[in-house]
Amino acid sequence: MILATPGPVEIPDFVKQSFLGETIHHRTPEFKAILKGALERWKRLTGLPYGVFLASSGTGGMESAVINGVKKGALTINAGKFGERWGKICSAHGIPFEELKYPWDTPANPDEVVEKVKTGKFDSLFIQISESAGGLRHPVEEIARRVKEVNPEILVVADGITALGVEKIDTSNIDIIIGGSQKAFMLPAGLAMLGVSQFGKERIGKGRGFYFNLAVELKKQEEGTTAFTPAVNHIIALNLVLEKLEKMGLENHYAFTAHRHRALMEAVKELGLAIYPKAPAKSMVAIELENAEKVRKILKEKYQILVAGGQDHLKGRLIRINNMGIVTPDRLVYIVNSLELALVESGHLPSYTGKGVITLSQHLF
Ligand SMILES: *Cc1c(COP(=O)(O)O)cnc(C)c1O
């Protein structure tokens, strides 16, 4: 089966193999060197001075940012399942919050966010960079910059789980950025990676919570160790992935990801399909169409390709194709060709012409 979902993504062989090595104990100089190496690479990738790894899925990273970051009240941006999650986390902890809601295809409006911040009710802002529910890109850099102009004491938290490793993020006004192992970093699920600014560290102060106390982890990980048993094998594998991306050149990796995204978008449009979000994120291509489940079923059963569908009100109306990690051109050609065939077989297209692959190839090569 080809895993073409926007997370989890396919795990490359060199990553799988790294999980087969001898077990390394986490309280050893060997592991300390690996952890320090991975954290240094992570800080370079995020452009932030501090880094923390947590043994949890991405949501654990979100929860840690909420409980450690908010001292007064949170403003959360909700344009999909993941934006909605900030509010659910606040509610679970009795943390006051207000939500700015947008349709799932619509990016947050910086003016509206700034107006909310001016009320003085909030000390923290929570937003997705790439909202995976609709494949939507929020203008986070602009929002973060303008919010800080109004109030430099606002903690800006960005969920970069489907943005880090996909494109270069300007983190100059971001205080906590969150990544997840199973998205662009091509690992199994189970590791949340955070980048923290100087202001972010100060705001966290003594921290809050027990397992997810970021103050404790920040201190320990600066020393090259962890408070609890870390996800040793994930950190070893992450270090390898970051090493590989640095060797390829992060700029080259981002450029190829963007190039592939353009090619896939053009191919999809050539097939007569509509791109769902008004501002598409580069992590995936989200297509809006009727009877999407029929197409997904054919792709899965006949062509052995798993793509994601839609959730909630978009159930049965969305197809989301991954563009994170390393997707080779041959894979992409097969996926687009199978998509056109599935569209014919599901009755969405009258006949097969191969125009999907032709357009993809013209843009890709
Ligand atoms: C996948 C994802 C998460 C985290 O989900 P987990 O299942 O907890 O790893 C958070 N935000 C976004 C935008 C995501 O795509």
Side-chain angles (χ1 to χ4, degrees):
M1 186 72 71
I2 291 179
L3 195 57
T5 51
V9 310
E10 289 200 325
I11 303 173
D13 285 343
F14 79 93
V15 174
K16 284 182 190 154
Q17 270 156 16
S18 82
F19 280 82
L20 302 176
E22 258 182 56
T23 305
I24 298 182
H25 193 281
H26 56 288
R27 308 291 183 209
T28 57
E30 289 95 313
F31 183 68
K32 187 173 188 163
I34 293 168
L35 176 60
K36 283 194 149 182
L39 281 168
E40 281 315 308
R41 292 193 169 87
W42 180 249
K43 291 180 206 171
R44 282 202 286 273
L45 186 134
T46 59
L48 289 170
Y50 302 99
V52 179
F53 302 148
L54 299 169
S56 77
S57 83
T59 305
M62 293 171 70
E63 180 160 350
S64 75
V66 170
I67 65 174
N68 288 272
V70 189
K71 308 293 176 189
K72 187 167 80 178
L75 175 63
T76 68
I77 308 300
N78 173 358
K81 280 312 251 189
F82 296 101
E84 177 188 54
R85 193 163 293 176
W86 299 122
K88 289 188 170 175
I89 295 169
C90 288
S91 296
H93 290 280
I95 293 170
F97 76 100
E98 202 174 300
E99 192 173 71
L100 203 48
K101 256 184 134 168
Y102 291 93
W104 290 19
D105 64 349
T106 306
N109 179 333
D111 294 337
E112 290 170 5
V113 180
V114 167
E115 282 314 304
K116 281 281 177 197
V117 166
K118 279 183 181 165
T119 62
K121 285 194 282 184
F122 314 105
D123 66 357
S124 321
L125 169 71
F126 294 85
I127 187 167
Q128 272 60 42
I129 298 177
S130 155
E131 167 54 81
S132 309
L136 174 71
R137 177 65 156 89
H138 284 301
V140 173
E141 296 89 337
E142 186 193 343
I143 289 172
R145 180 176 52 76
R146 292 191 45 200
V147 156
K148 291 276 187 185
E149 278 168 12
V150 171
N151 180 359
E153 301 289 301
I154 292 270
L155 182 88
V156 176
V157 179
D159 169 354
I161 292 175
T162 52
L164 286 167
V166 172
E167 56 174 315
K168 179 154 177 65
I169 310 294
D170 174 7
T171 52
S172 32
N173 294 298
I174 293 174
D175 298 304
I176 302 181
I177 194 162
I178 304 152
S181 56
Q182 80 274 28
K183 308 282 168 82
F185 299 98
M186 302 171 278
L187 308 183
L191 192 70
M193 302 90 79
L194 284 79
V196 181
S197 72
Q198 189 58 43
F199 176 72
K201 186 167 183 271
E202 284 158 20
R203 170 64 70 82
I204 289 163
K206 287 188 162 47
R208 202 176 149 214
F210 183 73
Y211 184 75
F212 284 133
N213 186 314
L214 286 179
V216 173
E217 283 300 339
L218 273 168
K219 183 168 179 293
K220 288 285 183 186
Q221 296 192 22
E222 277 297 296
E223 294 163 4
T225 185
T226 55
F228 310 105
T229 311
V232 170
N233 298 72
H234 278 72
I235 292 170
I236 293 170
L238 175 67
N239 193 36
L240 289 174
V241 169
L242 295 178
E243 231 172 41
K244 190 179 177 85
L245 293 180
E246 283 189 352
K247 216 172 269 173
M248 285 164 59
L250 274 175
E251 298 306 320
N252 296 332
H253 176 66
Y254 295 148
F256 188 58
T257 302
H259 178 66
R260 207 173 50 211
H261 188 251
R262 257 190 315 272
L264 185 53
M265 296 256 288
E266 290 306 320
V268 159
K269 284 191 250 175
E270 186 63 30
L271 291 173
L273 298 171
I275 304 294
Y276 174 69
K278 289 177 186 143
K282 293 187 176 71
S283 50
M284 70 190 76
V285 172
I287 303 161
E288 187 177 22
L289 80 170
E290 291 308 312
N291 268 326
E293 288 312 290
K294 203 166 169 185
V295 180
R296 283 212 318 135
K297 190 170 190 283
I298 297 168
L299 280 174
K300 183 172 176 215
E301 288 174 4
K302 190 161 174 191
Y303 300 104
Q304 304 286 303
I305 300 169
L306 190 67
V307 295
Q311 297 160 286
D312 292 3
H313 62 287
L314 292 179
K315 206 169 166 57
R317 289 175 49 205
L318 213 62
I319 285 182
R320 292 175 297 150
I321 304 174
N322 174 52
N323 185 42
M324 291 178 282
I326 297 169
V327 185
T328 55
D330 59 323
R331 275 276 152 113
L332 209 55
V333 165
Y334 177 69
I335 290 168
V336 168
N337 196 58
S338 304
L339 177 63
E340 182 172 356
L341 288 166
L343 287 166
V344 174
E345 289 159 36
S346 62
H348 286 83
L349 280 181
S351 61
Y352 174 84
T353 63
K355 63 184 174 186
V357 165
I358 291 170
T359 305
L360 179 80
S361 304
Q362 281 168 346
H363 284 85
L364 206 54
F365 308 114

